[in-house]
Amino acid sequence: MTPVAARETLRPGTLLGSYRILKSIAKGGFSLIYLALDENSGEEVVIKEYMPKKIASRDPDQRIIPITPDYTENLHHGRKLFFQEVKALASLKHPNIVRVLAFLLANDTGYLVMPNERGRNLGSYLHERKGGLSTTFLLEVFVPVLDALALMHRRAMLHLDVKPGNIHLRHGNQPLLLDLGAVHPLNRGRARGGQVITAGYSPVEQYFRAGQVGPWTDVYAVGASLRTCMDGRTPQPAPDRQKEDKLLPAKEALKDRYPPFLLEAVDWSLAMDPAQRPQDATELLNVLAPHLDDPQLSRLTQETSSELLGESRRI
């Protein structure tokens, strides 16, 4: 088996159009993330470079090439999908979806340019808190996320990688849905599975190419994210649940800590059978949104926006 080469990042100072790379700030399975400076405006931006971990490497001229010739077609196909998906994302205008500032082609790959939003990652915040996030906090974060997903679903697009680590918290707990690289256009009805997988958050239909993914797939991931925020543990992976479901319903496991409407919504979203879930983000949003400004819930708030003030982290 061919060993996977370490992915080299672009060197600081590298110029991509008007954007100068300052440093590498993150790595994902399919991309490298950089902080850069827009030399036209003087603003810092975040740039995402398409470079899949298992099949690509960088040559001395900084071009992205397959690790072996066997991966040439895979790399070409993945790059084509990345271009298509970024084009679709650029059409989305929503305050809770990361904006596309520009898209560049260079080094035989693509570069997605986004604003550098200050704040912190929900996944990191959750790790520190060990779960137990309040109902008010969860509604403040997930109602806007569902609204963003509802727009995507109306545009026949799926996110396919919703999880706490892909939700960025700005000032006042205002969420930003990140890492749209897995987004899948539904051009011809229902799409098939076999997409990006995150254990615990991806429903069973996402694991198999014969699986029929749809808006209900994102709904499962939202339910799993809410459940993680509640009990501090990632839910049992869907294939394991299919064999032996050990995930206690939220309305049983957490009945003394959260209101019935929220627990029922989480259990509904986490149904193993896609037909038994809310069929899109709007359906779940309509259940949760009316409770967003409920004064009774305000008394139960354990977190306040001030906890996030003074703390900042780049995407």
Side-chain angles (χ1 to χ4, degrees):
M1 184 175 179
T2 304
V4 177
R7 289 181 296 172
E8 293 184 7
T9 60
L10 290 171
R11 294 184 290 271
T14 299
L15 198 62
L16 297 169
S18 65
Y19 305 100
R20 188 171 299 280
I21 299 296
L22 298 178
K23 62 180 179 179
S24 171
I25 57 175
K27 296 182 180 182
F30 294 88
S31 60
L32 300 175
I33 313 295
Y34 304 93
L35 181 67
L37 181 70
D38 183 346
E39 298 200 330
N40 289 336
S41 67
E43 298 288 331
E44 288 185 347
V45 298
V46 170
I47 296 181
K48 182 175 185 176
E49 176 185 43
Y50 177 69
M51 188 180 185
K53 181 178 182 179
K54 295 182 179 180
I55 64 174
S57 62
R58 195 182 307 278
D59 74 5
D61 295 323
Q62 310 231 58
R63 294 181 304 130
I64 303 303
I65 60 173
I67 292 175
T68 71
D70 292 342
Y71 291 119
T72 300
E73 183 58 33
N74 300 70
L75 184 60
H76 175 74
H77 179 68
R79 192 163 49 214
K80 181 180 178 182
L81 290 177
F82 182 71
F83 297 165
Q84 292 174 349
E85 291 157 4
V86 169
K87 182 179 179 180
L89 286 174
S91 69
L92 293 173
K93 306 295 181 184
H94 191 282
N96 302 105
I97 295 177
V98 64
R99 287 188 295 130
V100 176
L101 296 178
F103 181 62
L104 309 173
L105 298 176
N107 301 324
D108 288 345
T109 193
Y111 296 87
L112 173 61
V113 184
M114 303 166 284
N116 180 35
E117 299 272 8
R118 301 288 178 164
R120 65 176 302 164
N121 183 270
L122 175 60
S124 299
Y125 181 55
L126 178 59
H127 180 73
E128 295 170 9
R129 294 299 302 256
K130 309 298 183 186
L133 304 187
S134 75
T135 299
T136 300
F137 179 90
L138 294 179
L139 293 175
E140 286 177 348
V141 171
F142 284 94
V143 165
V145 165
L146 282 167
D147 193 65
L149 287 170
L151 172 61
M152 295 178 65
H153 294 168
R154 289 195 299 272
R155 298 281 185 86
M157 298 167 66
L158 306 176
H159 187 283
L160 294 181
D161 199 20
V162 178
K163 57 187 175 184
N166 280 341
I167 297 175
H168 183 70
L169 298 177
R170 296 169 292 182
H171 174 71
N173 299 336
Q174 286 298 310
L176 193 64
L177 193 54
L178 302 178
D179 202 2
L180 301 168
V183 166
H184 190 93
L186 287 171
N187 295 327
R188 297 178 180 84
R190 298 187 177 190
R192 295 196 176 277
Q195 311 293 328
V196 173
I197 300 297
T198 301
Y201 300 100
S202 300
V204 70
E205 70 267 15
Q206 202 168 342
Y207 279 78
F208 308 106
R209 294 202 175 275
Q212 298 294 318
V213 300
W216 49 87
T217 305
D218 285 336
V219 167
Y220 184 99
V222 171
S225 297
L226 281 164
R227 182 69 187 261
T228 302
C229 289
M230 291 173 167
D231 60 21
R233 297 186 300 274
T234 303
Q236 183 184 15
D240 294 344
R241 290 188 65 198
Q242 193 174 45
K243 296 174 184 175
E244 183 183 359
D245 196 347
K246 296 180 180 179
L247 183 65
L248 278 178
K251 62 184 178 183
E252 294 180 22
L254 300 162
K255 63 182 179 181
D256 297 326
R257 298 170 60 186
Y258 294 96
F261 81 87
L262 184 57
L263 298 176
E264 290 168 4
V266 169
D267 289 339
W268 187 25
S269 302
L270 284 171
M272 289 295 293
D273 182 353
Q276 299 302 313
R277 298 177 211 144
Q279 290 302 284
D280 57 26
T282 298
E283 195 170 354
L284 182 57
L285 180 64
N286 289 340
V287 171
L288 298 183
H291 298 276
L292 183 59
D293 298 316
D294 188 337
Q296 290 185 326
L297 293 179
S298 298
R299 295 186 296 103
L300 303 175
T301 304
Q302 298 166 11
E303 299 82 18
T304 64
S305 299
S306 61
E307 291 184 52
L308 296 179
L309 293 177
E311 301 182 31
S312 96
R313 181 175 296 172
R314 296 185 174 95
I315 294 177

